[in-house]
C-alpha cells in the first residue's frame, strides 16, 4: 500500500513527517530523506500495534482528498510503500491449483520486482486488492 505522508520543515532545519491516515503516527528527522526511512519504521510499528489489537488496517487516502479536508495544506507530500501482509494475521498454508502459464507469469513478476518477496506475497496482494473492490 502507498500511504501519503506530509512533511513540514521545522525552524531548526529538521522535518516533521506525519501520516494522516494513521492518527498519531509521526516522527521528526534531520532531513526529508532520513524522514522517509524513519516514518516507514513508525508506520510498521503502528500497524503492528493495530494488528495485535485486532484492529483493521486503514486504507490510504488520496492526497487530493486529504487536501480537500484541509489536512496539512502547506506541506510537502510523499508516498511510502508498506507491505501490509504481515499485519493481516497469522499465515496459513493452503493448496491452490493454478494454470502453469499463470504460475510462470507470477514467478517472472516476483523475480523482477522488489515489491513482491514471494509467490505467496504476490497472490496475497492480488487477493487483497480484489477484496477491497467490494468495500
Amino acid at each position: 500500500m502507498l500511504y501519503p505522508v506530509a512533511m513540514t520543515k521545522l525552524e531548526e532545519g529538521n522535518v516533521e513527517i506525519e501520516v494522516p491516515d494513521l492518527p498519531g503516527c509521526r516522527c521528526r528527522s534531520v532531513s526529508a530523506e532520513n524522514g522517509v526511512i524513519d516514518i516507514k519504521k513508525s508506520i510498521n510499528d503502528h500497524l503492528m500495534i493495530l494488528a495485535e489489537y485486532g484492529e483493521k488496517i486503514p486504507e490510504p487516502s488520496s492526497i487530493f482528498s486529504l487536501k480537500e479536508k484541509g489536512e496539512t495544506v502547506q506541506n510537502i507530500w510523499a508516498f511510502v510503500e508498506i507491505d501490509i501482509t504481515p499485519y493481516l494475521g497469522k499465515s496459513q498454508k493452503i493448496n491452490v491449483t493454478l494454470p502453469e502459464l499463470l504460475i510462470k507469469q507470477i514467478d517472472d513478476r516476483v523475480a523482477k520486482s522488489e515489491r513482491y518477496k514471494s509467490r505467496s506475497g504476490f497472490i496475497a496482494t492480488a487477493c487483497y486488492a480484489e477484496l477491497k473492490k467490494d468495500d
Side-chain angles (χ1 to χ4, degrees):
M1 287 191 162
L2 290 173
Y3 279 99
V5 298
M7 292 186 218
T8 304
K9 187 169 182 174
L10 304 174
E11 291 178 14
E12 58 273 4
N14 295 337
V15 294
E16 181 176 71
I17 303 176
E18 66 177 306
V19 186
D21 294 314
L22 303 172
C25 187
R26 62 179 43 183
C27 69
R28 287 188 180 199
S29 191
V30 296
S31 69
E33 294 80 7
N34 287 343
V36 170
I37 294 166
D38 294 343
I39 198 66
K40 188 169 185 172
K41 181 178 180 337
S42 295
I43 293 169
N44 281 310
D45 291 346
H46 192 97
L47 295 179
M48 187 177 352
I49 291 168
L50 290 177
E52 285 176 10
Y53 285 96
E55 299 286 329
K56 185 176 178 185
I57 304 300
E59 292 291 322
S61 300
S62 75
I63 289 176
F64 298 113
S65 68
L66 292 170
K67 285 183 124 181
E68 286 173 8
K69 292 180 190 175
E71 292 279 345
T72 54
V73 177
Q74 300 297 323
N75 293 331
I76 297 169
W77 289 90
F79 288 99
V80 176
E81 186 169 11
I82 300 293
D83 177 11
I84 65 160
T85 53
Y87 312 111
L88 296 176
K90 182 180 173 189
S91 293
Q92 294 186 11
K93 189 171 185 170
I94 61 170
N95 187 15
V96 177
T97 304
L98 296 172
E100 182 178 0
L101 293 177
L102 180 58
I103 294 171
K104 183 179 178 343
Q105 288 178 322
I106 292 169
D107 290 345
D108 287 344
R109 174 69 59 90
V110 169
K112 294 176 184 173
S113 174
E114 291 181 16
R115 183 174 179 200
Y116 307 108
K117 293 180 174 64
S118 66
R119 181 190 295 162
S120 294
F122 178 88
I123 293 170
T125 302
C127 291
Y128 188 79
E130 188 64 27
L131 290 170
K132 281 191 334 186
K133 292 179 183 178
D134 293 335
D135 284 347

